[in-house]
Amino acid sequence: MRELTPLCWQLLLLSTLVYCSLGQGGDLSLPASLSVSPDRSQFFKYESVSLSCEVQGNSAGWRVVRNTSRGILSECHTDWGKQQGSSCIVSLIPSDSGVYWCESGSGEHSNAVNITVHAGAVILERPALPVTEGDSVTLRCRYQGTPSDLTAVFYKDGSLIRTETTGEMTIPAVSKSDEGLYKCTNSEGESPDSRMTVTVPTPIPSPAVPVLSMSLPRLLCSLLVGSPYLLVTIILLVKGCRSRTQGETRVPRKTHQDQLGDHVEEE
């Protein structure tokens, strides 16, 4: 195989630097999150909800998409919702129940949120997004009429948890064991089931113990971007040494007979 010339090495390095600068050596996904306001997953019929795509960087091209319980996939401002800036405003009816998420023009997805529109008089209010382990979480058994703070009974995975006269239950520091399917009942009715997901935060490594969590392409990109001239110098030096060594090996060595002939001529 033919060896690369110094010019080829420089071109290879340049193409790698361009590859890294465009972000192709790292994470290709554009982080996005669907936010829900008010922050809950259950709603009464005819309530209004605002769905927004929160994107780090350019949010152009991102849209709110849903898949309803009837299996109909569509995006905001087609036959449902009203686009207002970067948000989608929806006046809810029971057929709007389904899974909602953000999607880019290239097919990238955000997190998904399951929204339930209840035709009854009682819903369970909880955060729409997964909660983080250690956070304080309040579940409210809400009645559509007045008063809204009726005595409520809370259940998890079908088992009774507790009864609260205020109509709400607080978990001071939620843990992974609190994950499950919740519902509530009061004198006016029963809420639909609602699954609460608990995420565990990623531990931050101690500064005293360096951890290599970088992928190989990203590591190579970091090295190349950080010290391109050093790498070029090393490559050219190696090439120069190889060329000098090969040049020396091409010089013919005198045989023993030639050396004898030279000695006779001198005499």
Side-chain angles (χ1 to χ4, degrees), residues 13 227-240:
L13 177 63
S227 54
Y229 298 106
L230 176 61
L231 289 174
V232 172
T233 303
I234 293 174
I235 291 171
L236 293 178
L237 285 175
V238 172
K239 294 293 296 179

Side-chain angles (χ1 to χ4, degrees), residues 122-137:
V122 178
I123 62 171
L124 176 67
E125 290 187 353
R126 69 159 183 85
L129 299 178
V131 296
T132 304
E133 189 176 46
D135 288 351
S136 176
V137 177

Side-chain angles (χ1 to χ4, degrees), residues 42 124 126 139 154-159 161 178-183 192-197:
Q42 291 187 7
L124 176 67
R126 69 159 183 85
L139 306 178
F154 292 89
Y155 299 84
K156 175 179 176 289
D157 297 328
S159 300
I161 304 175
D178 294 315
E179 194 173 70
L181 203 62
Y182 288 80
K183 72 174 182 179
D193 291 329
S194 180
R195 176 167 294 280
M196 184 172 71
T197 303

Side-chain angles (χ1 to χ4, degrees), residues 22 61 143 162 185 215-216 237 261:
L22 292 176
Y143 171 51
R162 69 182 75 162
T185 61
S215 63
L216 180 58
L237 285 175

Side-chain angles (χ1 to χ4, degrees), residues 237-251:
L237 285 175
V238 172
K239 294 293 296 179
C241 292
R242 287 183 178 177
S243 299
R244 179 176 298 179
T245 303
Q246 292 173 357
E248 291 177 352
T249 57
R250 294 193 188 97
V251 177

